[in-house]
């Protein structure tokens, strides 16, 4: 009888015990991974519009020992004060450098990338990435010696992907706005570094982080900052003081965000913002965010990087890399509506630009051509006026114009100075100012001080004319 009980009851008891143990194991394992829900932090870790962590609600302000420089001049945003790649300060520049090149005033180590500074009030502002701290860091530096005055940082994990940071902040006497690699926007007091607000374009506006991280530079227009989200709205306007969204533009074609920066344009007394989304280009009304016109005549399948070059008289010049070439469009009124018409198209061997935006200067376009890496000058019909020649190539490097001169740098940090004239390529001097690689960050010039960078180092050199 005892043996019978063991044979009939014991297996059932063991089975019940096994089920109980399995339930306990599953319950404990589940509880180990459970955390209290934090709004905005419970999204998928990767992919789609969930590619970046939610908006960091708290940043950290750290003071340094740097002091603002008592120097004139400004470069308050991407491509300078008029967004045209030209320095409009009255400072005269040297036409010849010392044998060792322009004097190096200071240099600093920077996080991997191509981000460049904006300058105002003797301060240089750089949105850098701190790999050790795993944080975006807005650094306020002295224009005099590069010492850090303060930094405002917030935690964000960014993997290496051909560099990390690659934008230029925008600054006025009241506001400083930066956009980080994963589409986090910061608005700070430019003097104290105090935070007004932070915004996550991914979690709050449905943006998708571009493949090589965010490349657009924020546009400050009065009391508003204009941002491309490429989510439910193509562009948004945000109040700098409060962080409130003033308007959202429609995005009927569902264009995603690109590396392009927004460019303002005036036409027939109306102000608009021109932006290249992933699929075409559009003009958005500055006053209310309405869609004024769009076109699919200009789009790049891989990466859209150069910003529109506003020519005037309704004309806009678009250029790109990856065999995209270039296009000149004209915006005009047709049947009571604005519409874009393609005037001409250039093949890649005629002109195309992988990264940097061509410059309009005195009625001519200047830029580094993708196919042969030469600096070229073109008229406004797209005809080549001159090229720098096969012995003068500049890779993917940056360029700018100041005081009738064009500064252009190659990938390795060799800086060239030439005359900005349609009369031919007239090189004045050259100097090796950086020793690294991928010297692709946009140039910054203020008070005769030219700030340049490669992948991990930033330098400031004196290109001013001596008395």
């Amino acid at each position: 009888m005892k043996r019978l009980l063991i044979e009939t009851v014991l297996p059932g008891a063991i089975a019940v015990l096994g089920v109980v143990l399995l339930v306990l194991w599953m319950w404990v394992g589940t509880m180990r991974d459970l955390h209290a829900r934090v709004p905005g932090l419970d999204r998928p870790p990767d992919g789609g519009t969930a590619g970046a962590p939610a908006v960091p609600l708290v940043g950290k302000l750290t003071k340094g020992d740097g002091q603002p420089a008592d120097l004139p001049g400004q470069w308050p945003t991407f491509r300078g004060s008029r967004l045209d790649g030209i320095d409009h300060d009255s400072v005269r520049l040297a036409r010849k450098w010392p044998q060792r090149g322009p004097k190096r005033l200071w240099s600093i180590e920077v996080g991997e990338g191509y981000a460049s500074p904006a300058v105002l009030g003797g301060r240089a502002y750089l949105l850098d990435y701190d790999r050790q701290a795993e944080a975006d860091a807005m650094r306020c530096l002295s224009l005099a010696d590069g010492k850090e005055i303060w930094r405002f940082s917030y935690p964000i994990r960014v993997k290496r992907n051909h560099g990390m940071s690659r934008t230029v902040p925008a600054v006025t006497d009241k506001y400083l706005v930066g956009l980080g690699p994963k589409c986090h926007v910061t608005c700070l007091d430019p003097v104290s570094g105090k935070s007004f607000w932070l915004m996550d374009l991914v979690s709050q506006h449905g943006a998708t982080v571009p493949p090589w991280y965010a490349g657009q530079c924020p546009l400050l227009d009065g009391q508003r900052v204009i941002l491309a989200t490429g989510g439910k709205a193509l562009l948004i306007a945000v109040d700098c003081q409060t962080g409130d969204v003033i308007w959202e533009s429609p995005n009927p074609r569902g264009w995603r965000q690109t590396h392009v920066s927004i460019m303002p344009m005036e036409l027939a007394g109306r102000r608009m913002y021109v932006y290249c989304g992933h699929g075409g280009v559009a003009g958005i009304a500055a006053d209310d965010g309405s869609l004024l016109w769009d076109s699919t005549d200009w789009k790049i399948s891989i990466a859209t990087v150069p910003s529109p070059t506003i020519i005037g008289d309704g004309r806009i010049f678009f250029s790109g890399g990856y065999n995209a070439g270039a296009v000149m469009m004209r915006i005009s009124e047709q049947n009571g509506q604005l519409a874009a018409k393609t005037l001409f198209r250039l093949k890649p061997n005629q002109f195309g630009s992988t990264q940097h935006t061509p410059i309009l200067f005195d009625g001519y376009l200047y830029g580094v051509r993708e196919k042969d890496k030469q600096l070229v000058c073109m008229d406004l019909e797209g005809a080549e006026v001159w090229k720098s020649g096969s012995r003068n190539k500049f890779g993917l490097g940056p360029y700018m114009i100041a005081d009738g001169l064009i500064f252009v740098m190659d990938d390795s940090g060799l800086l060239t100075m030439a005359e900005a004239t349609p009369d031919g390529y007239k090189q004045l001097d050259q100097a090796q100012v950086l020793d690294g690689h991928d010297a692709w960050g946009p140039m910054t010039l203020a008070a005769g001080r030219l700030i340049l960078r490669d992948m991990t180092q930033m330098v400031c050199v004196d290109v001013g004319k001596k008395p």
Side-chain angles (χ1 to χ4, degrees), residues 395-452:
L396 298 176
Y399 47 90
M400 65 163 294
I401 290 176
D403 194 22
L405 302 170
I406 184 163
F407 296 92
V408 55
M409 187 166 63
D410 72 5
D411 300 339
S412 65
L414 178 65
L415 179 66
T416 297
M417 175 175 58
E419 292 185 12
T421 173
D423 296 335
Y425 178 70
K426 300 180 179 181
Q427 183 173 301
L428 300 177
D429 217 332
Q430 276 188 331
Q432 191 74 42
V433 294
L434 288 161
D435 300 317
H437 60 92
D438 293 358
W440 299 342
M443 297 180 175
T444 299
L445 179 64
R449 295 173 176 234
L450 183 61
I451 303 177
L452 309 162

Side-chain angles (χ1 to χ4, degrees), residues 270 291-292 332-339:
R270 187 162 195 183
L291 178 64
L292 299 178
S332 59
E333 189 172 324
Q334 299 177 15
N335 301 320
Q337 299 290 327
L338 291 179

Side-chain angles (χ1 to χ4, degrees), residues 85-223:
I86 302 170
D87 177 47
H88 295 279
D89 287 346
S90 58
V91 176
R92 298 304 306 274
L93 304 181
R95 261 58 181 172
K96 185 69 177 175
W97 296 327
Q99 186 175 0
R100 294 186 178 182
K103 181 181 179 181
R104 178 181 288 195
L105 301 173
W106 51 264
S107 67
I108 59 170
E109 296 298 313
V110 290
E112 292 182 17
Y114 318 106
S116 294
V119 173
L120 186 68
R123 302 172 177 87
Y125 302 94
L126 175 70
L127 184 55
D128 206 354
Y129 185 73
D130 186 336
R131 278 189 70 194
Q132 185 174 359
E134 292 190 326
D136 284 343
M138 179 68 81
R139 302 173 65 183
C140 176
L141 311 170
S142 170
L143 185 59
D145 53 20
K147 290 183 178 180
E148 195 163 279
I149 301 171
W150 54 258
R151 74 164 53 193
F152 180 86
S153 58
Y154 52 86
I156 179 71
R157 188 170 296 176
V158 178
K159 296 179 181 179
R160 300 172 76 178
N161 186 10
H162 297 283
M164 294 157 178
S165 60
R166 59 194 72 217
T167 61
V168 180
V171 61
T172 67
D173 58 347
K174 291 183 178 180
Y175 305 109
L176 168 65
V177 181
L179 194 149
K182 290 195 171 180
C183 299
H184 296 90
V185 185
T186 54
C187 184
L188 311 173
D189 182 291
V191 175
S192 68
K194 174 188 174 182
S195 174
F196 291 116
W197 49 265
L198 295 95
M199 179 181 292
D200 185 340
L201 297 184
V202 173
S203 67
Q204 294 175 260
H205 295 282
T208 300
V209 178
W212 289 286
Y213 300 131
Q216 69 158 311
C217 306
L219 173 63
L220 274 173
D221 197 0
Q223 299 295 308

